[in-house]
Amino acid sequence: MDRQKLFKVELDYIIDKDIKKSLSIMIDLIPEYFFTIPASSTGKYHPSYATGDGGLVRHTKAAVRMAYELFGIYKFPQHTKDLIIMGLLLHDSLKKGEVEEKYTRFDHPVLAGEFIKKHEKELKLNKEDIEFLYDIISSHMGRFNTSDYSDVILPLPKTPEQKFVHMCDYLASRKVLDVKFDNDNNIIDE
C-alpha cells in the first residue's frame, strides 16, 4: 500500500511545505493496523462508512474533510489550518497503541500526541508547533474524557483550535452524516 498516495488529497490541503513533509514522515510511521481496522469495533460510535476493513482510515479522512469544509467559516491563519489538518490525520493513529493491542486504548489521544513528540527530531517543525499538535490531538475526545475502564482523564479542549478539532472528529463520528467513498477510500464529491 502506498500510504502517501492514500492520503494525497489530505496532504494537498496543506500549503506549508515543512508541515506537509512532517506529516508525510508521520504517515510512514503509523502502525500498519491503522490502515485495516474499523473506527469502532462495535459500530456503536461511528457511521457505517467507518466500519469494516479500512474504517479508521475513512473516519480519519472524513474528519479532515470536515475541517477543510469548515475552514470557510472558521477563519484560522493558514499555518494553523495546516497544523489542524496534520493533527486530525494523526488523531487516532495509535488507537490500539504503538504496537497493536486487542482493544482500543482509551488514552490513544495522549499516545498519538506523544508519538509526534517522540519523532520530533525527524520532523521539520518547531517546538511551538509540536506542542500545538500535542494539545489538539490529546484533547480531541472533548467531553468524552473519562472512561469506566480507565483511570486516565484526558485533557478537555480549551482553545478555539482544540474545540474545532474535537468538533471535526465528533462530526465524522455521527451516524446522521453520510460520507461516500470510492474503492480507493477517497471521498466522493457529489
Side-chain angles (χ1 to χ4, degrees):
M1 167 200 342
D2 184 338
R3 294 175 176 206
Q4 302 302 312
K5 183 178 177 186
L6 178 64
F7 288 114
K8 181 184 182 331
V9 170
E10 293 75 20
L11 283 162
D12 285 348
Y13 290 155
I14 296 174
I15 305 301
D16 184 291
K17 62 180 177 30
D18 289 336
I19 295 173
K20 185 181 285 195
K21 177 64 177 163
S22 296
L23 179 53
S24 290
I25 290 167
M26 291 305 299
I27 287 170
D28 285 338
L29 295 170
I30 295 172
E32 190 66 35
Y33 72 81
F34 170 87
F35 299 92
T36 58
I37 66 170
S40 168
S41 59
T42 64
K44 182 178 177 182
Y45 299 108
H46 289 83
S48 60
Y49 70 77
T51 62
D53 187 49
L56 186 54
V57 167
R58 291 186 295 278
H59 162 73
T60 298
K61 286 173 155 279
V64 170
R65 183 59 178 266
M66 297 294 170
Y68 183 75
E69 295 293 335
L70 289 168
F71 285 154
I73 55 175
Y74 287 82
K75 301 298 183 186
F76 296 116
Q78 186 60 52
H79 186 79
T80 300
K81 291 178 187 178
D82 290 349
L83 288 171
I84 286 171
I85 296 294
M86 182 173 179
L88 280 165
L89 202 140
L90 298 171
H91 79 282
D92 281 342
S93 59
L94 297 183
K95 193 140 187 172
K96 289 189 170 194
E98 195 167 342
V99 175
E100 184 177 9
E101 298 177 26
K102 185 174 181 179
Y103 299 107
T104 295
R105 292 276 307 252
F106 179 71
D107 62 346
H108 75 271
V110 172
L111 294 177
E114 289 173 353
F115 192 58
I116 292 171
K117 287 183 175 186
K118 176 181 172 181
H119 293 284
E120 179 177 358
K121 288 187 167 67
E122 301 162 55
L123 306 179
K124 298 180 175 294
L125 301 173
N126 61 40
K127 290 232 182 263
E128 184 177 282
D129 289 346
I130 297 287
E131 284 303 318
F132 179 87
L133 286 165
Y134 177 86
D135 290 342
I136 64 172
I137 292 170
S138 65
S139 64
H140 84 258
M141 295 288 288
R143 67 182 177 88
F144 309 104
N145 70 325
T146 61
S147 168
D148 293 339
Y149 307 104
S150 175
D151 293 335
V152 172
I153 299 174
L154 297 170
L156 288 167
K158 295 183 177 110
T159 68
E161 297 84 0
Q162 291 168 0
K163 291 175 183 177
F164 182 84
V165 166
H166 167 62
M167 176 180 60
C168 292
D169 177 50
Y170 183 77
L171 288 172
S173 71
R174 299 301 84 198
K175 291 183 180 194
V176 70
L177 297 176
D178 188 26
V179 180
K180 305 256 191 278
F181 288 84
D182 65 19
N183 291 335
D184 294 322
N185 285 328
N186 289 312
I187 294 173
I188 299 171
D189 290 322
E190 294 182 334

